[in-house]
Amino acid sequence: MTLQATVDDIKSMKVRGAGRIAEAAAAALVEWMDEFKGSDVEAFREHMKRGEKALLGTRPTAVSLRNALTITMRPTGDDIQLSDMRAGVRKAGTEFMKNARVALERIAEFGAHRIPEGATIMTHCNSQAALRPIIKAHKDGKDIKVFATESRPWRQGHVTVKQLAAEGVPVTLIVDSAVRFFMDEMDIVMVGADTIASDGSVINKIGTSQVAMCAREAHVPVIVCAETFKFSPRTARGEVVEIEERDVAEVVDPKEFPGVTIANPVFDTTPPQFITAIITEKGLISPYAAYEIIRQMQGDIL
Ligand code: RI2
């Protein structure tokens, strides 16, 4: 697969989900490296930077993408021979992808422990990190059921309900505006994350903050499931996470609404006070411990 094909697939959301775009970007960068046939180190670095820039430009919000690229690119900054640089990039990219898969397995295990027997769970959008614990809890024999939001405009909720139904998990599809109507029946909310800021704020699919506010009102715990590569070191330096605005044609055909402004922000920010806990592959943490995760990452991700 060419770099351009991966860029197109991420932009068009053929490849989507913060974890999957990170893995796809790491794989694409390693393949892009193999296209460089020269022997000059500086030319190699320039080639790699071009690839990194193209992938970074695909989707602005999920820090998983940037973190995957930073980790994979790191050997290109070392004072070593080109052959070692190449081997280092390949190793870093491959290890990132392997670690991402292991992280999901650990999150599934930790998250499943957190789901009580007989629980009714609400989820929003389509997050593998949030769904794996639910599927694991079901496979462990817990009698659970799920309410999944449609998640307009892309309707990733359709993917969620099909995935859960295929695993035999009892699941109900609801429209986004039905969240408060059903919240009283919930025992737990489980969602994923695209980015977690150093103050514990969670940036996830648009509507997540409304789900979390309704949960708070109904005294339902909100659990965010996310690999540590979704934590953003840059936010610790004061950077604000950019919220992606996508084509308004994803919402409606603008030609049918002359004179109307249409907006399509695709993520929102849930402040830490609305989040009960974050489950990572390192364990369950308070959102207020996000800075500590980032501090530990600084050796990996600058
Ligand atoms: P996993 C998705 O973004 C959703 O917001 C989801 O909650 C998040 O990524 C994490 O997904 P989009 O690509 O990595 O659908 O847990 O815009 O699968």
Side-chain angles (χ1 to χ4, degrees), residues 13 15-21 59 62 64 104 124-131 154 156 191-194 203-206 208 225-227 229-230 244 246 266-267:
M13 289 179 58
V15 173
R16 52 146 295 279
R20 301 303 72 69
I21 64 176
R59 296 196 70 190
S64 51
L104 267 189
H124 183 57
C125 196
N126 177 257
S127 157
Q128 294 315 306
L131 293 185
W154 263 77
Q156 289 97 329
V191 292
D194 290 80
I203 294 89
N204 192 47
K205 185 56 54 193
I206 191 81
T208 302
C225 302
E227 304 90 327
F229 62 74
K230 292 173 182 163
E244 180 181 6
R246 291 183 64 88
V266 299
F267 299 104

Side-chain angles (χ1 to χ4, degrees), residues 41-173:
V41 169
E42 276 319 307
F44 175 72
R45 285 190 175 123
E46 284 311 312
H47 173 83
M48 292 303 288
K49 275 185 195 150
R50 273 203 308 282
E52 181 188 31
K53 193 172 169 214
L55 288 160
L56 265 180
T58 53
R59 296 196 70 190
T61 301
V63 76
S64 51
L65 177 72
R66 177 179 288 280
N67 287 344
L69 293 170
T70 303
I71 288 171
T72 308
M73 283 289 284
R74 196 166 48 178
T76 66
D78 293 345
D79 188 16
I80 50 177
Q81 288 192 344
L82 182 58
S83 56
D84 293 335
M85 234 178 243
R86 281 182 180 277
V89 168
R90 191 177 313 284
K91 186 163 180 277
T94 309
E95 271 180 7
F96 176 83
M97 290 182 270
K98 184 171 153 252
N99 291 342
R101 286 190 278 275
V102 172
L104 267 189
E105 281 164 28
R106 291 179 72 91
I107 289 169
E109 197 183 322
F110 300 158
H113 289 157
R114 193 71 189 193
I115 297 174
E117 167 59 30
T120 304
I121 307 152
M122 185 177 283
T123 191
H124 183 57
C125 196
N126 177 257
S127 157
Q128 294 315 306
L131 293 185
R132 292 289 190 91
I134 294 171
I135 293 165
K136 171 97 171 62
H138 171 75
K139 286 191 174 153
D140 287 348
K142 286 184 183 168
D143 179 19
I144 57 169
K145 54 181 188 283
V146 175
F147 280 64
T149 56
E150 184 183 32
S151 311
R152 280 275 291 153
W154 263 77
R155 296 185 173 90
Q156 289 97 329
H158 292 191
V159 180
T160 293
V161 294
K162 283 181 184 163
Q163 187 177 349
L164 291 177
E167 296 285 352
V169 181
V171 61
T172 304
L173 178 68

Side-chain angles (χ1 to χ4, degrees), residues 167-241:
E167 296 285 352
V169 181
V171 61
T172 304
L173 178 68
I174 61 171
V175 295
D176 300 328
S177 43
V179 164
R180 189 160 181 261
F181 183 88
F182 286 109
M183 191 55 83
D184 280 342
E185 295 175 34
M186 300 301 133
D187 298 295
I188 189 167
V189 166
M190 272 191 152
V191 292
D194 290 80
T195 292
I196 298 175
S198 61
D199 69 351
S201 298
V202 169
I203 294 89
N204 192 47
K205 185 56 54 193
I206 191 81
T208 302
S209 66
Q210 288 177 170
V211 175
M213 286 173 83
C214 290
R216 159 62 72 89
E217 183 196 34
H219 305 288
V220 175
V222 175
I223 306 291
V224 174
C225 302
E227 304 90 327
T228 51
F229 62 74
K230 292 173 182 163
F231 287 67
S232 167
R234 289 177 164 224
T235 58
R237 292 188 237 133
E239 265 193 31
V240 174
V241 178

